């Protein structure tokens, strides 16, 4: 392994990707907003307004796959990253890098999907850019989307907020997107219910916030809150019982839970029997030798919620169009209170036969260009 | 020319790029913010706060060139696009697409340049993304930056604001970046003063706004302005005599002025003798057969200003680190008042020998991957 070359693994969202970020990028660009390491930055732009700001580039191969294409993936992905920060996504930028010779018919289909996805999510594509590189210098089309959403007062979501006793909810079946991309790439025949789960989750997040709101004065009133008596700001009088929201994309549920465990310095136990997974997806994973815990999802979220609100939040998710298969899959355990032999932060899977196994962060690249 | 394939020209910033935008993109994503066609979108996020939001992908070849590299270009480019909308750039996202096998040493140099450029411009890189694609599926490194900046009250800049009588100022010598990239790519030997002009222009824009402020009540008070008596909002009592700011990047001064003429439905006359250009750049353009009016600039701006403030604004620009060679290069003429035979909107160059020639939008791609 040449240490002086970029590897596919640097883009996996797993261990090497994290060390690239921590060793090369964070020391250079250190600031409070970036170093939170959440799905987006939370910016206080003055007058008491907080904005979630997120960016992602999409390089998925193939660009068309069962259940979607790179265009809707690019809209939904950024919509979801903003929503996971608690922002209400509204404004999206779209920047295309096209390979010379790319089919304009395919481009039209992709642009149409982007427009439809934006409409469905209730967001506006407000600014953009198009670059073309000579044939062979890119692969068909890459799309970057960035986006913005205002965060309602009192909402405070971060990977570092998980607390001992919290429950972990997944909003539906895992590994659908990952196994779809893999199967498409290998030209495998498969059941029609194997398709990408790409979907906008911002309405689901609204339901979660509504159901986890508690009537409690926020202790800290923002010092820049200039109009404290304004009725539209009444949400600032409440706090929320949802602590973390994350969409387990690259690296899957296993890697995302590891990020949360690391940011919050807690242990997360998950229960193998509780993980929702389609039979067809499970079968394909067994056939191909992939662990569904590390395969990407593009329309699912993980919610870490106070135990007293877990059932209400679960019901709220299940009422959403994209949350019918939601399930409680685990719990957060404080490290000092753990009665298990492995008293360290991290993620542990309680297997069907009763033992625990360590779920580490993804190492090595299972599947490049998954999104 | 295959009508069903993407051409390099679609990314030129010129005529075909505009028709792609107008025919394929705008009809799908139509909204007031996008259809303004300025360098970024202007978003009203409530509580009277307007934000400029802009995105650009950088695919320049070569990635290192005299005067800079792709990293600082990516920071400065988005800083400038926000500034051209009147925004005070503060928050930047950075999304990397890396080719497998790319040198981590080169990546370090580029990231360092980005950090230095951000510091110089006074902006924070607050969120990011890294994707890696297999060898041969991208060319070394592509960088997308998006960014945000709050627009001070009363500032209203747009390509559609040019008015008959306004003067056109360029902040310095033209074509430096374009000729540098071309010369580097061709391995031509050249004078040491041929180098990219990549620079952040946000401080220059602040100087321009300060000098073009007029003490005049704004007729429209924003209806969402909730704290009208707050002292920090006092700028809302002023208006500005600068109408358009644009950085003439891809497509150069010729294409950018055409965009302004088209958006404002005016005629713009420029004077060949007044255009600042380095002798070495002029010589290289003559040698290689390029028109400097269409070559990219990465650290220059065009300002369209009311005649009564032109000299003050010119002086303000000249006092800036990057504006020493600023010059008045033309004027805006209303179409109905034109006493010239060519009574239509567009851009016209008064040549050294006295005649006028039409300066059309760039057609064909002079130089792919210029930024």
């Amino acid at each position: 392994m040449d240490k002086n070359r970029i590897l596919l693994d640097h883009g996996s969202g797993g261990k090497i990707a994290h060390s690239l970020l921590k060793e090369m990028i964070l020391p250079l660009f250190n600031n409070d907003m970036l170093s939170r390491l959440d799905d987006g930055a939370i910016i206080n732009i003055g007058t008491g307004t907080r904005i979630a700001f997120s960016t992602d580039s999409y390089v998925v191969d193939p660009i068309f796959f069962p259940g979607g294409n790179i265009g809707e993936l690019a809209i939904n992905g950024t919509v979801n990253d903003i929503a996971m920060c608690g922002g209400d996504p509204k404004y999206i930028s779209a920047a295309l890098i096209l390979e010379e010779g790319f089919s304009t018919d395919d481009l039209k289909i992709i642009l149409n999907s982007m427009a439809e996805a934006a409409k469905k999510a209730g967001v506006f594509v407000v600014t953009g850019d198009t670059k073309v590189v000579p044939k062979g210098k890119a692969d068909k089309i890459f799309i970057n989307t960035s986006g913005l959403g205002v965060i309602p007062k009192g909402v405070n979501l971060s990977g570092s907020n998980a607390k001992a006793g919290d429950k972990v909810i997944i909003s539906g079946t895992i590994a659908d997107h990952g196994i779809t991309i893999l199967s498409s790439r290998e030209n495998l025949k498969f059941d029609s219910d194997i398709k990408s789960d790409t979907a906008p989750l911002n309405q689901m997040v609204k339901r979660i916030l509504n159901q986890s709101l508690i009537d409690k004065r926020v202790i800290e009133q923002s010092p820049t809150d200039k109009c404290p008596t304004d009725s539209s700001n009444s949400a600032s009088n409440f706090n929320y019982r949802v602590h973390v929201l994350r969409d387990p994309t690259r690296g899957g549920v296993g890697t995302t839970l590891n990020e949360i465990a690391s940011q919050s310095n807690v242990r997360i136990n998950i229960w193998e029997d509780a993980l929702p997974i389609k039979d067809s997806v499970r079968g394909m994973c067994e056939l191909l030798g992939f662990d569904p815990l590390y395969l990407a999802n593009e329309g699912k979220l993980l919610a870490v919620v106070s135990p007293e609100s877990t059932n209400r939040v679960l019901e709220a998710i299940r009422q959403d169009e994209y949350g019918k298969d939601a399930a409680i899959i685990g719990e957060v355990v404080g490290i000092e209170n753990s009665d298990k032999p492995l008293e360290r932060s991290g993620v542990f899977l309680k297997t069907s036969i009763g033992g625990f196994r360590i779920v580490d962060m993804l190492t090595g690249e299972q599947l490049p260009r998954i999104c």
Side-chain angles (χ1 to χ4, degrees), chain A residues 61-306:
Chain A
D61 170 41
I63 56 175
F64 296 101
F65 45 80
N69 65 47
I70 190 173
E72 62 195 291
L73 200 66
I75 297 291
N76 290 337
T78 289
V79 162
N80 293 347
D81 280 346
I82 296 165
M84 298 307 128
C85 298
D88 182 16
K90 268 284 165 295
Y91 306 106
I92 303 282
S93 65
L96 313 176
I97 298 176
L98 305 175
E99 184 188 10
E100 183 188 14
F102 182 57
S103 151
T104 50
D105 289 342
D106 284 351
L107 180 60
K108 274 178 200 160
I109 296 170
I110 290 165
L111 290 171
N112 260 304
S113 294
M114 292 180 79
E116 276 171 33
K119 197 174 169 192
K120 195 156 190 181
V123 299
F124 300 97
V125 175
V126 293
T127 190
D129 177 50
T130 305
K131 294 290 191 311
V132 181
V133 298
K135 199 158 178 61
K137 299 296 185 187
D139 192 11
K140 297 183 188 77
I141 178 171
F142 300 147
I143 304 178
N144 177 281
T145 50
S146 301
L148 303 179
V150 173
I151 302 173
K153 297 218 169 193
V155 171
N156 176 14
L157 299 171
S158 171
S160 56
N161 289 352
K163 287 171 187 57
D166 285 354
K167 301 294 181 192
V168 179
I169 300 174
I170 181 89
S171 67
T173 55
I174 66 170
D176 297 75
H177 180 75
I179 207 72
T180 303
I181 295 301
L182 184 72
S183 309
S184 319
R185 222 180 282 167
E186 304 292 327
N187 279 318
L188 296 171
K189 291 201 175 178
F190 44 76
D191 291 357
S192 60
D193 76 330
I194 293 189
K195 62 178 186 185
S196 171
D197 57 344
T198 179
L201 299 176
N202 46 336
Q203 291 308 315
M204 186 189 290
V205 171
K206 275 190 187 164
R207 291 174 190 268
I208 294 171
L209 290 175
N210 283 340
Q211 288 305 317
S212 66
L213 194 64
I214 40 180
D215 190 343
K216 180 181 148 194
R217 296 265 147 185
V218 170
I219 296 155
E220 282 189 305
Q221 189 70 253
S222 164
T224 56
D225 186 1
K226 286 185 182 146
C227 312
T229 59
D230 189 279
S231 64
S232 69
N233 289 335
S234 59
S236 65
N237 297 332
F238 295 94
N239 214 335
Y240 294 83
R241 283 207 178 106
V242 55
H243 300 146
V244 185
L245 292 178
R246 273 288 171 85
D247 55 339
T249 55
R250 271 187 296 179
V253 168
T255 300
T256 301
L257 288 177
N258 264 284
E259 289 169 358
I260 297 169
S262 161
Q263 284 179 265
S264 297
N265 196 32
V266 293
R267 172 177 167 141
I268 298 175
N269 290 337
I270 55 174
W271 313 309
E272 190 169 32
D273 290 344
L275 286 167
I277 178 165
K278 288 179 185 152
D279 286 342
S280 53
V281 172
R282 190 195 305 275
M284 194 68 90
C285 283
E286 284 172 3
L287 186 73
L288 299 170
F290 282 91
D291 185 343
L293 273 178
Y294 294 112
L295 289 180
N297 310 276
E298 291 290 342
K300 300 293 154 43
L301 61 78
L302 288 162
V304 179
V305 186
S306 280

Side-chain angles (χ1 to χ4, degrees), chain A residues 37 53 65 68 93 156 177 222 333 335 339 354 371:
Chain A
L37 295 180
F53 176 33
F65 45 80
S93 65
N156 176 14
H177 180 75
S222 164
V333 183
I335 299 168
D339 55 357
C371 59

Side-chain angles (χ1 to χ4, degrees), chain A residues 6-17 362-366:
Chain A
I6 290 294
L7 310 171
L8 284 173
D9 205 8
H10 281 112
S12 67
K15 238 177 191 171
I16 293 194
L362 177 65
T363 49
E365 175 56 290
Q366 284 209 100

